[in-house]
């Protein structure tokens, strides 16, 4: 049996989380058009006859002096050491540029265990040739070993070839999780992430980085048989400023109602029991500069 930890790394919005979801066949990691959506190491798992692959989705790698970005960058970087295999994802619709060069530099010690995925090949603007040139220049050994794969994380094109290669090169080992597991995330974390995704996708571009979700209260209700009947959750969408709170709430509370109903719909599709969500908005000024909050939230 094969068993491997596989870290997915790349620039913000390269499509790392989309890939993870496509591989697992479930919504494991939240996705949005806004860069820096993922803030944690998210595990997604697949088990086949050949063995088990455990994928670790990471925050988009982005250099910036802000404390918040340092945390995210460290999370992504720290996932490399422990990984058996690294999937380096490039968005072929964007020119490589300086940021891509920095990632390649970071990956240098791990080239021998790195596969390059050229993503978004389904889009008109995709230019895999430019991405291949970039890799050829900075990491010729990866090209030489045939470890470059064109894919579309969105449509799934080319993804099976990557999985087959992963099973081929994965080390021997026993599975770490039961075979029906596709993620190890706790319900509380999944609720927070789904609500954050809906809030990002229903907000203006400048808002998403300023929000996080806090669970104030969560209670499982059981049937007499001991089965879970209902999960009752009270959550807060937390913004940095009053003005942002206003945007999240929307005119007559319209926006927050929409965030709540879209979140509820998705949560009820994910969990095998009914989820009741009570969602409110509050302000926590400058939370992105607060170490205590960041430590609790980003891990
Ligand atoms: N057309 C197309 N869109 C894609 C593809 N992969 C990702 N996207 C889109 O690109 C955007 C970013 O995707 P994510 O999966 O959130 O990217 P990410 O790398 O996880 O981003 P961060 O978490 O911010 O680092 C979303 O709007 C996706 O729908 C692809 O193969 N084709
Ligand atoms: Mg992501």
């Amino acid at each position: 049996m094969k068993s491997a930890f596989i870290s997915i790394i790349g620039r913000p919005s390269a499509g790392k989380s989309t890939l993870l979801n496509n591989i697992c066949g479930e919504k494991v990691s939240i996705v949005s058009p806004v860069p820096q959506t993922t803030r944690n190491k998210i595990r997604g798992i697949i088990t086949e006859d050949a063995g088990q692959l455990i994928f670790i989705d990471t925050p988009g790698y982005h250099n910036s002096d802000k404390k918040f970005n340092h945390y995210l960058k460290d999370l992504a970087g720290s996932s490399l050491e422990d990984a058996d295999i690294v999937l380096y994802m490039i968005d072929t619709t964007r020119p490589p540029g300086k940021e891509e060069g920095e990632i390649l530099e970071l990956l240098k010690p791990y080239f021998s265990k790195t596969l390059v995925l050229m993503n978004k090949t389904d889009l008109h603007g995709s230019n895999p040739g430019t991405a291949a040139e970039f890799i050829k220049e900075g990491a010729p050994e990866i090209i030489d070993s045939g470890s470059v794969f064109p894919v579309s994380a969105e449509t799934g094109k080319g993804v099976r070839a990557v999985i087959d290669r992963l099973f081929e090169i994965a080390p021997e080992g026993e599975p770490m999780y039961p075979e029906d597991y596709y993620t190890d995330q706790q319900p509380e974390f999944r609720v927070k992430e789904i609500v954050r995704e809906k809030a990002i996708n229903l907000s203006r571009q400048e808002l998403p980085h300023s929000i996080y979700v806090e669970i104030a209260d969560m209670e499982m209700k059981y049937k007499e048989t001991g089965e879970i009947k209902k999960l009752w959750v009270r959550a807060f969408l937390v913004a940095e400023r009053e003005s942002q709170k206003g945007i999240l709430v929307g005119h007559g509370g319209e926006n927050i109602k929409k965030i709540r109903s879209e979140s509820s719909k998705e949560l009820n599709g994910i969990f095998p029991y009914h989820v009741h969500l009570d969602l409110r908005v509050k302000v926590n000024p400058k939370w992105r500069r607060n170490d205590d909050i960041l430590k609790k939230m980003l891990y």
Side-chain angles (χ1 to χ4, degrees), residues 13 15-18 29-32 36-39 42 57-60:
S13 280
K16 301 176 293 299
S17 304
T18 306
S29 194
I30 66 168
V31 167
S32 93
Q36 291 189 299
T37 297
T38 305
R39 292 176 175 171
I42 311 268
D57 183 18
T58 65

Side-chain angles (χ1 to χ4, degrees), residues 167-185:
F167 274 119
E168 221 175 278
I169 60 178
E172 300 281 332
E174 290 305 310
M176 304 275 295
Y177 294 96
E179 63 176 296
D180 57 340
Y181 270 43
Y182 61 87
T183 185
D184 67 344
Q185 296 165 57

Side-chain angles (χ1 to χ4, degrees), residues 12 35-39 59-77 99 209 287-289 294 297-298:
Q36 291 189 299
T37 297
T38 305
R39 292 176 175 171
Y61 197 87
H62 169 63
N63 255 339
S64 147
D65 282 338
K66 292 198 177 129
K67 184 181 282 224
F68 180 68
N69 290 312
H70 268 289
Y71 269 94
L72 296 183
K73 209 174 82 171
D74 288 350
L75 269 182
E99 198 166 66
H209 299 299
W287 65 263
R288 277 183 291 177
R289 293 189 215 164
L294 295 180
M297 192 168 82
L298 311 173

